[in-house]
Amino acid sequence: MSAIDGLPPLREVIARHDLRAKKQLGQNFLLDLNLTARIARAAGDLTQCDVIEVGPGPGGLTRGLLAEGARHVLAIEKDARAIPALQEIAAHYPGRLTVIQGDALQIDPLAHVTPPIRIAANLPYNIGTELLVGWLTPPEWPPFWQSLTLMFQKEVAQRIVAKPGGKDYGRLALLAQWRCEARIVLTLPPQAFVPAPKVESAVVHLTALPAPRFPADARVLEEITRAAFNQRRKMLRASLRGLHPAIESLLEASGIAPTARAEEIDLERYCGLARALAAARRAPAGIPPG
């Protein structure tokens, strides 16, 4: 890749700018530019898209995205030490890279990008899930982004694509799969990173669906899944008891056995329960929903 873009190898960039990874920032740098190019390609055709990247560090994935033809990249980096290295990349790709120093949880990127927009990032481990949940729960759907191509610890990636019945299945799977196509596209060993983490990592690609797979009120669905999975060892009639006095009847009307546990129920039935609960709450007191 350095031969393609003419920029120095990442190890040289890191040494020159003293960019030793900081644990408190959740940093693990991916130095193999062949791998960063593969991640960029997993994001799809970027030639007509602006791309938001969070936590670029020394810019390995940034270079991959630009070399693969991204129309424009917005790189949001909290670590001030990395800004000079990223500015060198911006100078090499005039007008195609904007670098902002700050906390991605606090910055509104939409002032700096133009649709269509995709998000691609080797997310800092300490904020990755929080960022994902924010992108999956906008006030309106479809969201501002077309797709997310994100690196997580492998166990988090498995939770995003999990199916009912296993220990990985939970709120994150339901949240992602309700309104997205989600799949793991790449798995990376610890030794691909500096410093090497203790676990494997994986890249997940999520494509936004035009509409949710099944109708449901997002707030009610979130309320149900939070209560169910916060007490996942309990039967649903117990874990959901506080949501409505007639919860057992609502479960049965939605095709869910009151004695079932949270991980046994698929997305379609959770959405059915969300609709039933919303209807029950709207019904006048003493009149059963229906």
Side-chain angles (χ1 to χ4, degrees):
M1 179 67 73
S2 61
I4 293 174
D5 64 16
L7 290 166
L10 283 174
R11 289 188 184 277
E12 180 181 320
V13 173
I14 289 171
R16 181 155 43 88
H17 294 283
D18 193 23
L19 288 177
R20 288 167 291 183
K22 289 187 175 181
K23 185 176 182 180
Q24 61 267 37
L25 294 176
Q27 292 176 328
N28 295 88
F29 297 145
L30 184 60
L31 302 188
D32 187 333
L33 290 168
N34 291 316
L35 288 176
T36 62
R38 286 180 64 186
I39 297 168
R41 287 194 292 272
D45 182 0
L46 303 177
T47 57
Q48 303 301 317
C49 297
D50 282 10
V51 181
I52 298 170
E53 182 188 8
V54 175
L61 180 56
T62 315
R63 289 166 61 174
L65 293 166
L66 290 164
E68 290 297 320
R71 181 177 67 190
H72 182 259
V73 175
L74 170 66
I76 302 172
E77 176 56 62
K78 188 174 184 178
D79 188 352
R81 300 175 305 153
I83 302 302
L86 294 168
Q87 289 173 336
E88 290 174 2
I89 302 172
H92 192 77
Y93 290 95
R96 292 178 59 201
L97 174 61
T98 298
V99 180
I100 296 178
Q101 183 188 352
D103 186 341
L105 293 170
Q106 305 298 325
I107 291 173
D108 179 6
L110 297 184
H112 307 278
V113 289
T114 303
I117 298 163
R118 300 186 185 187
I119 299 175
N122 172 14
L123 292 175
Y125 280 172
N126 54 354
I127 62 168
T129 302
E130 186 175 358
L131 282 169
L132 174 62
V133 169
W135 290 326
L136 291 173
T137 55
E140 297 181 357
W141 196 271
F144 70 85
W145 48 268
Q146 290 185 335
S147 68
L148 309 171
T149 307
L150 307 172
M151 187 182 301
F152 297 97
Q153 295 182 27
K154 188 177 179 181
E155 65 180 35
V156 176
Q158 289 172 329
R159 285 166 49 203
I160 294 168
V161 303
K163 301 302 180 187
K167 63 179 178 63
D168 293 326
Y169 182 66
R171 293 171 59 204
L172 197 56
L174 290 161
L175 191 62
Q177 296 172 39
W178 182 40
R179 299 194 281 198
C180 296
E181 291 283 358
R183 58 193 177 94
I184 293 176
V185 295
L186 186 63
T187 301
L188 296 97
Q191 56 268 31
F193 298 86
V194 175
K198 296 179 180 179
V199 296
E200 288 185 303
S201 300
V203 178
V204 182
H205 184 73
L206 300 102
T207 303
L209 298 171
R213 294 183 191 277
F214 309 104
D217 181 291
R219 288 170 297 181
V220 177
L221 183 61
E222 166 66 12
E223 186 181 3
I224 289 169
T225 55
R226 184 191 308 117
F229 285 99
N230 280 356
Q231 301 182 76
R232 61 189 299 154
R233 292 180 180 273
K234 290 188 176 181
M235 297 179 185
L236 288 173
R237 67 185 180 194
S239 60
L240 303 182
R241 181 179 297 142
L243 302 185
H244 195 275
I247 193 64
E248 288 204 39
S249 297
L250 296 175
L251 285 163
E252 290 170 348
S254 306
I256 300 171
T259 55
R261 288 177 170 79
E263 68 272 12
E264 299 170 6
I265 309 305
D266 61 20
L267 172 62
E268 183 173 8
R269 286 185 289 169
Y270 272 117
C271 290
L273 179 60
R275 295 193 299 272
L277 178 58
R281 288 172 171 176
R282 291 192 300 267
I287 301 177

